[in-house]
């Protein structure tokens, strides 16, 4: 069949329902190009008509000539010049302005989680190898079995690891000096989230290493590693699947006796079908409450909230395109589509390097409702859970238009001023972990 319907459908949803500024700009430019061709063919006709002596092509039908001129003018001006100028070039330009605005906001955003997802520093790899040598590779704890685990544990951990985790696979089993090298999965947590890291350690095993500004949970022992691999295998949605596959192949090659499943492909199920996005939001998402002065409001203030997810644009290692594209565009675009908002691209300096990020911001009522319904179904478990609760309270006030009353405004201001202060590591109470999947 000439037209494969599933391709046709994905083509339609890719282009006709896209909410990306870049895509919409491209659609405008394509339309302008098409209109330009029609307008040009009319102008060629005009030239031909004018160039011929006597009654010409139109055989003296002067009125028709006028119609063609008018058609040419209208098509060129309204269907070519204007769409190309405003829709085609204007869309990406809007994008640039909004990006600048966001850079500014981000500088002042204290709860913004930065992407710590660069390469693991060599010193940390050494630390982990040394710890493993000292403790003879076993972090005591119950052997775990993937039978009877909560079905949402795998997707959640996949999201958390894809967001703030590293999968480290050495190139060789022994280094030059004959020392054994370990493979491991390491998850980075902020200091606020140390209780969460400790909770996960108590359930999943591994050991915690405390650095100045962050802690890491390192899963190295084979039984714990195999447990996590088998849990997250099949739930990966980003190019980090490459590292998981590398780890699986490494274990299959050097430790064939371990019960490691074969590598599975990307999870292409709808985003709202599992907890994968909540794991990733615990890593790379955040919630904001913004209160600004506004003369248009009765209260004199405007209260806005948003949820934001930010991921780098490209995976730094080579990746087999048959498994996954090296770009994070698809996953971020699907998050944007799910919330019905745009995906932006921005760049900023991080650790002295210019880095590129995709960013999705749920900023309007419709998207807030989707955010709230998703996180009520698949809750957050890191300290971001507390920010979500505050965010949710303001969201409900906005739904009832209470934020535009003096009383409501004061409540919003109080929520905002407490936004991160509850997150002092000493007072923090992670009782919500009682409902965690393990
Ligand atoms: C990018 C936009 C446009 C292009 C590339 C374009 C191109 C052309 C060309 C090549 C001709 C034939 C000229 C000749 O050889 O005599 C022509 C004729 C003409 N165009 Fe356009 N055009 C454009 C926009 C417009 C607009 C916006 C209008 C009016 C609103 C317009 C009105 C006319 C008229 C009245 C003629 C006939 C001129 C004559 O009598 O020689 N054009 N155009």
């Amino acid at each position: 069949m000439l037209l494969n319907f599933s391709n046709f459908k994905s083509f339609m949803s890719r282009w006709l329902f896209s909410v990306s500024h870049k895509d919409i700009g491209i659609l405008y430019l394509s339309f302008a190009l098409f209109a330009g061709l029609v307008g040009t063919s009319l102008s060629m006709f005009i030239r031909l008509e004018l160039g011929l002596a006597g009654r010409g092509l139109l055989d003296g039908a002067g009125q028709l000539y006028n119609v063609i001129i008018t058609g040419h003018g209208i098509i060129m001006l309204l269907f070519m010049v204007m769409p190309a100028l405003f829709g085609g070039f204007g869309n990406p330009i809007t994008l640039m302005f909004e990006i600048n605005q966001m850079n500014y906001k981000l500088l002042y955003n204290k709860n913004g989680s930065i992407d710590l997802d660069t390469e693991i520093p060599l010193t940390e790899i050494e630390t982990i190898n040394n710890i493993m040598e000292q403790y003879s590779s076993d972090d005591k704890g119950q052997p775990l079995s993937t039978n009877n685990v909560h079905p949402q544990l795998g997707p959640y951990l996949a999201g958390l690891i894809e967001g703030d985790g590293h999968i480290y696979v050495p190139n060789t089993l022994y280094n030059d000096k004959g020392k054994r090298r370990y493979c491991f999965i390491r998850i980075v947590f902020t200091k606020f989230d140390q209780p969460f890291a400790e909770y996960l350690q108590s359930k999943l095993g591994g050991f915690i290493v405390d650095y100045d500004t962050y802690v890491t949970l390192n899963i190295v022992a084979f039984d714990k590693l195999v447990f996590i691999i088998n849990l997250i295998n099949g739930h990966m949605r980003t190019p980090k699947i490459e590292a998981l596959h590398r780890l699986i192949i490494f274990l299959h090659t050097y430790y064939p006796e371990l019960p490691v499943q074969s590598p599975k492909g990307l999870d292409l199920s709808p985003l709202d079908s599992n907890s994968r996005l909540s794991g990733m939001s615990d890593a790379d998402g955040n919630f904001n409450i913004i209160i600004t002065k506004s003369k248009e409001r009765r209260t004199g203030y405007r209260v806005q909230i948003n949820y934001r997810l930010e991921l780098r644009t490209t995976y730094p290692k080579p990746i087999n395109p048959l498994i996954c594209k090296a770009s994070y565009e698809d996953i971020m675009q699907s998050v944007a589509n799910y919330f019905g908002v745009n995906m932006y691209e921005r760049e900023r300096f991080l650790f002295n390097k210019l880095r590129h990020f995709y960013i999705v911001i749920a900023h309007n009522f419709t998207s807030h409702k989707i955010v709230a319904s998703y996180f009520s179904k698949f809750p957050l478990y890191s300290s971001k859970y507390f920010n979500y609760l505050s965010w949710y309270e303001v969201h409900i006030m906005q739904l009832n238009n209470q934020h535009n009353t003096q009383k409501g405004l004061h409540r919003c201001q109080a929520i905002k001023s407490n936004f991160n202060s509850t997150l002092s590591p000493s007072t923090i109470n992670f009782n919500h972990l009682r409902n965690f999947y393990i």
Side-chain angles (χ1 to χ4, degrees), residues 40 43-44 46-47 50 65 69 72-74 76-77 80-81:
T40 305
S43 75
M44 282 163 71
I46 297 170
R47 181 84 296 262
L50 291 172
Y65 177 77
I69 296 272
H72 160 81
I74 287 177
M76 284 301 203
L77 192 66
M80 199 272 278
V81 176

Side-chain angles (χ1 to χ4, degrees), residues 244-308:
L244 180 68
H245 283 192
R246 209 155 19 94
L247 175 62
I248 295 179
I249 291 164
F250 180 87
L251 292 175
H252 279 174
T253 312
Y254 294 110
Y255 304 96
E257 71 283 2
L258 293 175
V260 183
Q261 294 169 357
S262 303
K264 290 185 189 163
L266 285 175
D267 179 356
L268 299 173
S269 62
L271 276 180
D272 60 351
S273 67
N274 64 30
S275 57
R276 162 76 187 51
L277 184 61
S278 73
M280 176 147 265
S281 301
D282 266 333
D284 288 326
N286 59 68
F287 296 88
N288 299 294
I289 301 173
I290 304 148
I291 301 179
T292 40
K293 282 200 169 141
S294 161
K295 286 194 185 120
E296 291 153 29
R297 308 281 154 147
R298 255 190 306 147
T299 55
Y301 286 91
R302 183 170 182 207
V303 179
Q304 289 168 289
I305 54 172
N306 66 45
Y307 155 82
R308 215 177 59 199

